[in-house]
């Protein structure tokens, strides 16, 4: 059978250039029972190619909204989002999202879940798709569980499958919405190491939403502190620590303490 | 094996009890034939092929009507879940008509279609349709919104989301609706066949009816047993495997 040359696995697994994100003057408000909430107020932000940026802040500060807007799942009221200079008009395979709950499909097993986005990719033979899915399951360390049903996996394993699923179509940007919030501390710390390794290996631009300040310092090149009502970027921190970073070092604790101070000040002024 | 043996022992006991009641001669043998008489009737009906023909006719009516009921009901259920206008109109109609015992369609079907196969088909479809619509509608509305959202980010578009995300996600509901539809269709078809003789073919219900007319109790009981066995067979071979699969995949019970 003829297979197009463009569909070879090696080509599919080749590194794609990570995207540069330009968010310019983005505003978004929601109507709620208590009135209008300005979730994002003229937020501007640039994320460089291959940069790991963490958005932290209290709940309701619009960080998840910003992530959804970058993903194209929500439209801003005003302002623009560009990826590599092109405006975002809707969801796209170049920007994949990893949600807080795994959002894995329970009617498919682990392998089927990773295969799902690949089946939507044209110019690939089915064998290539399976090989690619296998590669990513191995990358997240779940080869042994490829036949497992979703409910049989632990919380950490589910998020590993979700990570593999998000990586599988080889996106340029990975958008992560508190992906480790529901995991226990031990599983989470293991994840920090693995995620840094995978990020280095697969070269993605990552925007990572969390309310865990230490987590943000451990993972991010840059940490952006958001403030709520209206949602704005209050402060920016560059984390200049060598990688891979360990969670429990005094250097990291110093960074985290600085951010925590700002966060507490913010809470004191807003209440 | 152990489970099979205990089930076997149970049914053997049941038949022994029946035989004992027969031997005691409390009721006239016309009203309560012995198991042997029933078996002898069934043997005869198998040999002269009346049982086979009737079963084929009944199953053909049932499967055809059931098939149409699902083919029409499933898309309608998807539509009512998608558009509020359809939910308020068709959805409410379906809910109302589902509460109507499907036997109640028989008089109407007879007047509309006469004593024809179409009347039978109509009754079976009415038994299936509403359950399937309601189950599909409920299933779709229970799909967590995060599934279609996740699919969107992976490049899935409208029709693909419906076929590959929303439909499979609502499968547990749809299957239970199909099972209910099957039960309703089966019951209403039996009622229709007992109620009315249709010359294009005598189904199991009709054999039951003739048994009563000829006061042939062994025929009545024999056919009842056949009807029960068919019901069991369908459940064990058709629905049970699907339900087991769903339970295993979703991790619900068992």
């Amino acid at each position: 059978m003829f297979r197009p040359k463009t569909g070879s696995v090696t080509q599919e697994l080749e590194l794609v250039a990570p995207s540069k994100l330009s968010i310019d003057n983005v505003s978004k408000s929601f109507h709620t029972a208590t009135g209008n909430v300005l979730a994002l107020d003229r937020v501007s932000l640039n994320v460089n190619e291959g940069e790991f940026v963490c958005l932290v802040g209290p709940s309701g500060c619009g960080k998840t909204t910003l992530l959804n807007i970058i993903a194209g799942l929500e439209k801003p009221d005003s302002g623009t989002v560009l990826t590599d200079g092109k405006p975002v008009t809707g969801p796209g395979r170049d920007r994949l999202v990893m949600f807080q709950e795994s959002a894995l499909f329970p009617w498919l097993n682990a392998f089927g879940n990773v295969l799902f986005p690949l089946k939507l990719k044209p110019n690939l033979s089915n064998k290539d798709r399976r090989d690619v899915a296998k590669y990513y399951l191995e990358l997240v360390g779940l080869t042994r569980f490829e036949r497992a049903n979703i409910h049989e996996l632990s919380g950490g394993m589910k998020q590993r499958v979700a990570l593999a699923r998000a990586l599988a179509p080889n996106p340029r940007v990975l958008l992560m919405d508190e992906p480790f919030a529901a995991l226990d501390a031990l599983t989470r710390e293991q994840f920090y190491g693995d995620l840094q390794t995978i990020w280095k290996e697969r070269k993605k631009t990552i925007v990572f939403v969390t309310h865990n300040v230490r987590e943000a310092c451990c993972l991010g090149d840059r940490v952006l502190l958001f403030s709520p009502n209206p949602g704005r970027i209050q402060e920016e921190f560059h984390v200049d620590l060598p990688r891979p970073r360990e969670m429990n070092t005094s250097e990291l604790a110093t960074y985290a303490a600085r951010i925590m101070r700002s966060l507490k000040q913010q809470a004191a002024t807003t209440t | 094996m152990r489970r099979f043996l205990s089930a076997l022992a149970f049914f053997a006991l049941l038949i022994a009890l029946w035989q004992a009641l027969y031997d005691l001669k409390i009721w006239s043998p016309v009203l309560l034939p012995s198991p042997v008489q029933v078996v002898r009737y069934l043997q005869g009906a198998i040999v002269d092929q009346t049982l086979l023909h009737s079963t084929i006719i009944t199953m053909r009516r049932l499967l055809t009507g059931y098939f149409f009921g699902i083919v029409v009901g499933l898309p309608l259920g998807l539509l009512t879940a998608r558009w509020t206008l359809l939910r308020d109109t068709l959805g409410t109609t379906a809910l109302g008509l589902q509460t109507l015992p499907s036997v109640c369609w028989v008089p109407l079907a007879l007047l509309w279609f006469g004593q024809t196969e179409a009347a039978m088909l109509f009754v079976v479809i009415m038994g299936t349709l509403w359950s399937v619509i309601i189950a599909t509608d409920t299933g779709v509305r229970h799909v967590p919104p995060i599934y279609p959202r996740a699919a969107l980010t992976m490049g899935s578009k409208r029709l693909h989301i419906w076929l590959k995300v929303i439909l499979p996600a609502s499968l547990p509901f749809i299957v239970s609706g199909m099972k209910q539809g099957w039960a309703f269709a089966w019951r209403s078809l039996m009622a229709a066949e007992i109620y009315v003789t249709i010359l294009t073919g005598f189904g199991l219900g009709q054999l039951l009816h003739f048994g009563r007319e000829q006061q042939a109790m062994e025929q009545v009981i024999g056919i009842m047993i056949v009807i029960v066995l068919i019901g069991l067979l369908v459940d064990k071979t058709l629905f049970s495997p699907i339900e087991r699969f769903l339970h295993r995949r979703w991790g619900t019970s068992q």
Side-chain angles (χ1 to χ4, degrees), chain A residues 3 17 75 79 90 213:
Chain A
R3 299 263 189 238
K75 293 215 183 314
V213 172

Side-chain angles (χ1 to χ4, degrees), chain A residues 107-183:
Chain A
W107 59 94
L108 301 170
N109 61 19
F111 188 73
N113 268 282
V114 181
L115 203 59
F116 186 92
L118 292 166
K119 282 190 175 161
L120 284 155
K121 250 191 144 172
N123 303 325
L124 273 176
S125 74
N126 278 330
K127 187 185 175 300
D128 289 349
R129 292 191 173 106
R130 305 184 75 83
D131 289 347
V132 171
K134 279 199 167 75
Y135 167 83
Y136 283 103
L137 273 172
E138 196 186 324
L139 189 68
V140 298
L142 280 186
T143 305
R144 275 199 315 127
F145 295 93
E146 62 172 42
R147 300 281 152 218
N149 293 320
I150 299 308
H151 70 91
E152 292 162 344
L153 300 172
S154 68
M157 284 150 95
K158 276 182 199 158
Q159 287 303 58
R160 279 174 191 276
V161 177
L163 180 61
R165 183 172 77 169
L167 288 169
N170 214 357
R172 293 167 192 273
V173 181
L174 202 56
L175 304 167
M176 306 178 84
D177 187 8
E178 303 194 31
F180 309 141
L183 305 181

Side-chain angles (χ1 to χ4, degrees), chain A residues 68 91-93 96-97 99 101 103-104 106-107 109 116-117 120 149 151 165, chain B residues 146-147 149-156 160 164-165 168-169 248-251:
Chain A
N68 286 337
R93 250 195 306 272
L96 274 182
V97 187
F99 297 93
E101 350 149 28
L104 295 172
W107 59 94
N109 61 19
F116 186 92
L120 284 155
N149 293 320
H151 70 91
R165 183 172 77 169
Chain B
I146 196 157
Y147 293 163
R149 273 167 81 86
L152 268 175
T153 64
M154 291 185 272
S156 183
H160 187 269
K164 296 287 181 174
V165 179
R248 223 180 26 241
R249 261 292 147 84
W250 261 260

Side-chain angles (χ1 to χ4, degrees), chain A residues 10-22:
Chain A
T10 42
Q11 198 163 350
E12 179 56 30
L13 292 177
E14 258 172 30
L15 295 177
V16 293
S19 287
K20 176 184 166 65
L21 294 173
S22 322

Side-chain angles (χ1 to χ4, degrees), chain B residues 109-146:
Chain B
L110 285 174
L111 289 175
W112 277 5
F113 301 103
Q115 282 170 267
T116 60
E117 288 294 322
M120 293 285 155
L121 212 59
F122 181 78
V123 171
V124 174
I125 292 174
M126 288 301 120
T128 314
L129 187 63
W130 314 114
S131 296
V132 173
I133 291 180
I134 290 166
T136 310
D137 179 87
T138 316
V140 170
R141 281 197 267 154
H142 274 82
V143 175
I146 196 157

